[in-house]
Amino acid sequence: MSRADFDRFVQRKQEEKAQSDSFDPKQQLADWLERLDALYTEIGNFLTPYIDAGKARTEFRPIQMNEEFSGPYEARQMLLSIGTSTIIFKPIGTMLIGSKGRVDVQGPRGSARLGLINRTVTHARQLIQVRVSLPGDRPHAPEPSSEKIEWEWKIITPAPEMKFIEFNEDNFFDMLLSVADA
């Protein structure tokens, strides 16, 4: 191992320490709950004509959640009623691999998932790096990214392909139809 390798090691460990020192569980939880409320607001905006016409209704119910980093806390799930169908938007949590949060959408005919995903990521395979080394090769640590992640809600398609689709009005209604009227 050369001095340059050791210098990179020390730098990487310092950056890891700075990241762990800057992690604030209370702030992480507050950010998650704020983003969840913003999602519900956006969904409400998409549904406004139907709600105003009395053709759809939303209701919120508290649910108890418990995550390793924060312990127990309360979040809200949203229930969307359209005629005899009810669609539940159930928060799953934050601090998930590859995302900053997930909401499962459960309807009478199926389910879907929404995730807080890096804006630039469109496929799950972009979140995984595979490195191959031969015996005797020195392991190389991945270079830390200096890119500031912009989190946004996306629709997650089922495995194995797992694509992350833009969360917009048209895609939202397509998703609703898939879980309510498949």
Side-chain angles (χ1 to χ4, degrees), residues 131-151:
R131 296 180 187 262
V132 178
S133 62
L134 298 172
D137 287 350
R138 281 187 296 203
H140 294 283
E143 294 295 321
S145 174
S146 60
E147 171 191 342
K148 173 99 170 103
I149 296 177
E150 295 178 43
W151 300 103

Side-chain angles (χ1 to χ4, degrees), residues 54-174:
K55 297 178 180 180
R57 182 174 53 85
T58 57
E59 171 186 350
F60 296 93
R61 292 189 181 156
I63 61 169
Q64 293 300 312
M65 302 192 59
N66 191 2
E67 297 193 62
E68 186 176 327
F69 81 95
S70 68
Y73 66 94
E74 189 174 277
R76 295 187 315 154
Q77 71 178 1
M78 184 174 85
L79 286 72
L80 168 62
S81 299
I82 303 170
T84 58
S85 292
T86 299
I87 299 150
I88 300 169
F89 294 81
K90 181 180 179 184
I92 299 303
T94 186
M95 297 296 292
L96 305 171
I97 296 172
S99 75
K100 195 169 180 75
R102 192 176 100 204
V103 172
D104 285 357
V105 183
Q106 302 162 336
R109 301 274 188 253
S111 63
R113 293 184 297 165
L114 299 171
L116 266 174
I117 308 292
N118 182 343
R119 181 186 58 76
T120 63
V121 175
T122 58
H123 291 84
R125 67 178 173 259
Q126 291 173 275
L127 301 173
I128 300 168
Q129 288 185 359
V130 176
R131 296 180 187 262
V132 178
S133 62
L134 298 172
D137 287 350
R138 281 187 296 203
H140 294 283
E143 294 295 321
S145 174
S146 60
E147 171 191 342
K148 173 99 170 103
I149 296 177
E150 295 178 43
W151 300 103
E152 66 180 30
W153 287 103
K154 294 189 179 197
I155 299 168
I156 304 170
T157 65
E161 185 62 23
M162 281 188 72
K163 293 180 184 176
F164 305 127
I165 300 171
E166 178 184 0
F167 184 76
N168 60 32
E169 190 170 28
D170 288 337
N171 292 338
F172 169 74
F173 286 122
D174 286 345

Side-chain angles (χ1 to χ4, degrees), residues 1 3-21 129 131 138-145:
M1 179 182 288
R3 183 180 195 94
D5 291 333
F6 187 73
D7 286 346
R8 283 191 294 277
F9 167 77
V10 169
Q11 178 64 30
R12 190 176 72 245
K13 291 301 176 184
Q14 290 299 316
E15 289 170 1
E16 288 173 8
K17 183 176 183 334
Q19 284 180 346
S20 78
D21 288 349
Q129 288 185 359
R131 296 180 187 262
R138 281 187 296 203
H140 294 283
E143 294 295 321
S145 174

